[in-house]
Amino acid sequence: MDVRFAWMLCVLCLAVTVRAFTQEGFKEVLLKQLGLSEVPKLHKRDLEDLVIPDHVKNKYISMLKRQRVKRRALPSLAGILRGIPGNAGEVLYSDTTTRQNLIFDMEGRIPQNSEVTMAELKLFKKPLDRANLPARHPHRPVANARVSVYWVQRQHDGTNRTSLIDSRLVPIRESGWKNFDVTQAVHYWLRNKRREPMFLEVWIEGERVGSHASEMAKAVRFTSQDPKDKALGKPELVLYTLDLEDYGGPGDCKEESAMGKSTCCRHKHYVNFRELAWTQYWIIEPAGYQAYQCSGGCLQLPSPLQHFGYGERTCAMTESSPLPMMYLVKRGNHTEIEAAEFPNMIVEKCSCITNS
């Protein structure tokens, strides 16, 4: 490929990505990547009784984990939270799902001028009570249960909205600590800016569809936050942070730079899918994401060079990363859920580039 053509193509890609962070530009890029001419006409009723298939859930979680591997190293332990005294998390049972509520007091737990790089939820799986196991199935034995962790957002109208954070298969016959990556939940809580605890919900389901798998999953028990639960190993939320003074990302803006008083840098710009009218029923996960933006001034080239075709230098994105998403697809009279990774959605690095 011609070098000049490749460079022009790169600049074009960056320009498209920068436009994506305005509401209309973001919509334009998303529709183009999905091969759609307009946003699907979806309503709240399209979400009723909608079940996320395991293969879609697994694909989304694997994409999330691949993205999280890129986190900066050298985090330090910020704290181990074990729940709020006097607030026992409920455990609810239904025909197909066991749901356990967890409550963690986050206020004042995250040091000032620091960033949460990793958060782990540690759950202790109790030893199996074999007396409660259903009879063995002759054809398809079940070895695992699916355990999923959701962040719960309390709405002003009293309802709850949940966002899938992590999901994995847990061996039914093994006991001990099981870890879940809940970094995204902590980021959601921080973004929410409410003076309230963080609410998580743990769902225990069958590893596949069918009554036998559901019955086997009911044998999985984790210790709860209830003081009456005397079992060892209460649920723990482990937080790791980086001191931004020592380990701040290269090119990230200081406070004054948000006012446009600095050289080119990257500053925070959050896209909330729950608040955008055209995404609230279309995009299932995530609830939103930190897109970042590039802003600030650039040192201009000497005027003689401008006569040779070099234009103004502007602050623009030079490195990006993809965003995993789960979204609804309407096919005829029914809706389905798909998962995909959309490139160039998160700004990783900003630099000054010269317009030709």
Side-chain angles (χ1 to χ4, degrees), residues 82-297:
R82 292 188 174 86
I84 302 174
N87 284 274
E90 299 174 283
V91 180
L92 309 172
Y93 301 97
S94 69
D95 290 342
T96 58
T97 311
T98 300
R99 298 188 185 185
Q100 181 171 338
N101 294 329
L102 301 173
I103 309 170
F104 295 97
D105 182 12
M106 303 285 288
E107 195 66 33
R109 303 288 186 164
I110 300 169
Q112 290 292 322
N113 199 34
S114 67
E115 177 183 323
V116 176
T117 58
M118 187 166 67
E120 283 186 314
L121 176 66
K122 298 180 68 177
L123 300 175
F124 187 81
K125 185 180 175 298
K126 296 180 180 181
L128 186 66
D129 184 356
R130 298 182 182 276
N132 290 333
L133 281 178
R136 284 182 174 272
H137 199 281
H139 301 298
R140 298 186 68 190
V142 174
N144 304 299
R146 175 162 293 282
V147 180
S148 303
V149 180
Y150 291 81
W151 173 64
V152 181
Q153 182 182 15
R154 302 287 177 95
Q155 306 282 80
H156 293 296
D157 61 3
T159 61
N160 293 337
R161 291 197 74 164
T162 60
S163 296
L164 177 64
I165 301 300
D166 201 0
S167 182
R168 55 175 289 200
L169 292 176
V170 170
I172 292 173
R173 289 177 168 79
E174 290 181 12
S175 63
W177 289 101
K178 307 298 175 186
N179 296 350
F180 298 85
D181 186 338
V182 294
T183 311
Q184 192 176 17
V186 176
H187 288 170
Y188 285 158
W189 180 86
L190 287 167
R191 177 65 195 174
N192 221 26
K193 290 182 179 176
R194 293 186 189 172
R195 292 184 176 276
E196 62 178 22
M198 187 171 77
F199 299 92
L200 298 176
E201 203 166 68
V202 179
W203 294 20
I204 306 170
E205 305 166 280
E207 69 171 317
R208 59 172 181 264
V209 177
S211 58
H212 182 60
S214 295
E215 288 300 314
M216 288 292 290
K218 289 178 183 178
V220 173
R221 294 284 186 273
F222 293 107
T223 54
S224 71
Q225 292 176 327
D226 191 337
K228 296 175 184 176
D229 188 345
K230 300 300 182 183
L232 296 175
K234 294 293 185 185
E236 295 180 356
L237 181 64
V238 185
L239 301 177
Y240 295 89
T241 61
L242 282 178
D243 186 334
L244 295 182
E245 288 295 325
D246 298 328
Y247 299 106
D252 281 0
C253 298
K254 302 291 185 183
E255 270 187 43
E256 64 273 12
S257 65
M259 308 301 293
K261 298 177 182 177
S262 75
T263 54
C264 180
C265 61
R266 185 184 79 153
H267 71 87
K268 291 181 179 179
H269 176 72
Y270 190 82
V271 178
N272 192 331
F273 293 139
R274 301 290 190 246
E275 292 180 357
L276 297 178
W278 59 276
T279 60
Q280 60 179 329
Y281 302 129
W282 184 22
I283 297 176
I284 307 298
E285 301 289 350
Y289 80 107
Q290 193 63 255
Y292 295 101
Q293 279 185 325
C294 297
S295 69

Side-chain angles (χ1 to χ4, degrees), residues 27-28 30-41 282:
K27 185 193 297 185
E28 176 189 331
L30 196 59
L31 290 173
K32 185 175 181 180
Q33 290 178 351
L34 290 171
L36 300 174
S37 58
E38 61 181 13
V39 174
K41 291 180 172 60
W282 184 22

